[in-house]
Amino acid sequence: MLSYLLRRLLLIIPTLFGIMVINFIIIQAAPGGPVEQMIAKIRGSNVEATARLTGAGTELGASLEQFSESQIYESKYRGAQGLDPEFIAKLEKMFGFDKPPLERFLLMMKNFLTFNFGDSYFKDRSVIGLIIEKMPVSISIGLWTTLFTYLISIPLGIRKAVLDGSPFDVWSSAVVIIGYAVPSFLFAILLIVLFAGGSFWSIFPLRGLVSDNWHELSLGWKILDYLWHMVLPITALVISGFASLTLLTKNSFLEEINKQYVLTARAKGLTERRVLIGHVFRNAMLLIIAGMPAALLHIFFAGSLLIEVIFSLDGLGLLGFESAVGRDYPVVFGTLYIFTLLGLLLHIIGDLTYTFVDPRIDFERRMG
């Protein structure tokens, strides 16, 4: 098992490097980089770059000699007309764009190896400081969503498998299908309309993780205020998230219930409860455990993005969204690096949990 774990850890390096390369190329190709964003702020308008210098070939070099330095900058950045070329050069140096893309990427990866993510271009804060500041919000959302999703989905899925074809299975399947079909942000909007002063009742707050006077409250009221703010966003995520896990749980248990060893256990006179817990549960839960790392990563970072935006929850999802829109590259690549590394580690943890639940599984022998 140790050699398998070592191989998986070593495999993280090329996987992480490949993901960063692909995203670096995509982001660099997108118009409206940080230099253009800064020029737009100076101009007081939202300006995007539509032309870039992408090579240094002979034909391009010959054509560039025909233009003055200011005209060259005007061709690189729309909106730079009339600005001093020295000022544009200082902007490029400030954002690191005075270096070729390959050099920028290698320098970035070298710094990332020591978790040095640099500073945000526009927030005047270190990237790691921003991530640490926003992480509690996303962790709160992720932990509560995961907890309630599993508390609802696994018992419901088991019950549906045991009562397969019964009226309970039929009407609960209708609920599951609705939850599966409607995305979380639509449920969030519906909850706002119904319970956050949209058109009907104003029971729950619309924005934020806590109230403005939270620091003035006693400990008990602080906890209640926090839970009060979490009701709508967590409900929206759980309603749309429990469906797939419920179906996965039901199908896993159904497959195991119909196997020969279950029939043999029943023939020996074991009760249904003992058969279910002692024989079926361990085998059926393997598939659910295997998908847990991906589910956790989705709930923590991807699934809560629109929820954070809708409810103005200042977490990692909102930070990543704003950074991508504002072309704040250090924050974009820093969060991408951390999320990818965390995802790869969670998959390894999932494999280790596999072997813990069922010691018969030997990944090392399979890889060998």
Side-chain angles (χ1 to χ4, degrees), residues 120-141:
S120 166
Y121 285 158
F122 306 112
K123 295 181 183 293
D124 197 26
R125 293 278 307 279
S126 69
V127 174
I128 196 70
L130 282 170
I131 291 173
I132 292 172
E133 179 186 330
K134 312 297 183 183
M135 191 170 284
V137 176
S138 294
I139 289 177
S140 293
I141 296 172

Side-chain angles (χ1 to χ4, degrees), residues 100-357:
L102 179 60
E103 185 179 346
R104 294 204 309 270
F105 176 76
L106 294 176
L107 180 63
M108 180 185 74
M109 292 305 297
K110 178 184 176 183
N111 292 330
F112 280 13
L113 289 175
T114 57
F115 291 92
N116 176 19
F117 302 112
D119 297 327
S120 166
Y121 285 158
F122 306 112
K123 295 181 183 293
D124 197 26
R125 293 278 307 279
S126 69
V127 174
I128 196 70
L130 282 170
I131 291 173
I132 292 172
E133 179 186 330
K134 312 297 183 183
M135 191 170 284
V137 176
S138 294
I139 289 177
S140 293
I141 296 172
L143 286 178
W144 285 114
T145 305
T146 304
L147 175 65
F148 284 112
T149 300
Y150 275 80
L151 284 177
I152 294 171
S153 301
I154 292 179
L156 179 59
I158 295 173
R159 188 68 176 170
K160 284 173 65 62
V162 173
L163 301 177
D164 184 42
S166 67
F168 170 82
D169 182 42
V170 173
W171 72 257
S172 61
S173 293
V175 176
V176 168
I177 290 171
I178 294 172
Y180 189 81
V182 183
S184 58
F185 72 91
L186 286 181
F187 271 120
I189 294 171
L190 176 63
L191 291 173
I192 288 172
V193 171
L194 291 176
F195 303 111
S199 297
F200 294 89
W201 302 282
S202 182
I203 301 174
F204 298 101
L206 176 60
R207 298 178 180 275
L209 193 63
V210 292
S211 299
D212 294 335
N213 64 336
W214 187 78
H215 293 287
E216 303 172 4
L217 302 175
S218 63
L219 178 60
W221 282 108
K222 282 182 178 180
I223 295 173
L224 289 175
D225 182 74
Y226 162 75
L227 295 175
W228 182 48
H229 280 75
M230 292 297 289
V231 169
L232 293 188
I234 299 304
T235 302
L237 285 169
V238 170
I239 287 176
S240 63
F242 86 103
S244 55
L245 184 59
T246 300
L247 292 176
L248 177 63
T249 305
K250 177 189 175 182
N251 293 334
S252 298
F253 274 80
L254 266 181
E255 184 179 352
E256 293 298 323
I257 286 172
N258 294 324
K259 286 185 177 179
Q260 184 62 43
Y261 75 91
V262 175
L263 299 176
T264 305
R266 285 171 176 165
K268 290 180 179 179
L270 296 179
T271 63
E272 284 295 319
R273 181 181 177 85
R274 189 169 178 183
V275 170
L276 190 65
I277 296 176
H279 294 77
V280 175
F281 187 82
R282 185 178 67 176
N283 295 324
M285 286 297 292
L286 288 175
L287 189 59
I288 299 166
I289 291 171
M292 191 179 294
L296 283 172
L297 196 66
H298 173 77
I299 291 170
F300 268 65
F301 305 115
S304 62
L305 168 59
L306 290 175
I307 297 300
E308 289 184 11
V309 174
I310 291 171
F311 289 100
S312 299
L313 301 174
D314 197 11
L316 291 172
L318 186 59
L319 174 67
F321 173 76
E322 291 177 345
S323 302
V325 171
R327 303 296 192 272
D328 198 344
Y329 289 166
V331 180
V332 171
F333 287 115
T335 51
L336 174 67
Y337 183 87
I338 291 177
F339 295 167
T340 305
L341 181 61
L342 183 61
L344 294 171
L345 290 174
L346 281 173
H347 279 289
I348 296 176
I349 293 172
D351 288 347
L352 295 178
T353 311
Y354 240 151
T355 59
F356 175 77
V357 175

Side-chain angles (χ1 to χ4, degrees), residues 60-75:
L60 177 61
S63 62
L64 289 178
E65 291 175 358
Q66 301 173 8
F67 295 96
S68 67
E69 191 177 7
S70 61
Q71 288 173 319
I72 291 172
Y73 279 115
E74 287 178 8
S75 67

Side-chain angles (χ1 to χ4, degrees), residues 5-78:
L5 181 60
L6 182 61
R7 285 196 293 269
R8 286 295 303 271
L9 289 173
L10 290 175
L11 191 61
I12 288 177
I13 299 173
T15 306
L16 184 59
F17 184 81
I19 291 172
M20 295 301 295
V21 167
I22 293 170
N23 283 275
F24 183 85
I25 293 172
I26 293 172
I27 291 176
Q28 294 298 311
V35 176
E36 291 94 328
Q37 295 286 330
M38 185 58 72
I39 292 173
K41 287 187 176 182
I42 294 168
R43 293 292 191 188
S45 60
N46 191 13
V47 181
E48 293 183 354
T50 56
R52 286 179 176 270
L53 298 179
T54 54
T58 8
E59 187 178 336
L60 177 61
S63 62
L64 289 178
E65 291 175 358
Q66 301 173 8
F67 295 96
S68 67
E69 191 177 7
S70 61
Q71 288 173 319
I72 291 172
Y73 279 115
E74 287 178 8
S75 67
K76 286 179 71 174
Y77 308 113
R78 178 183 291 180

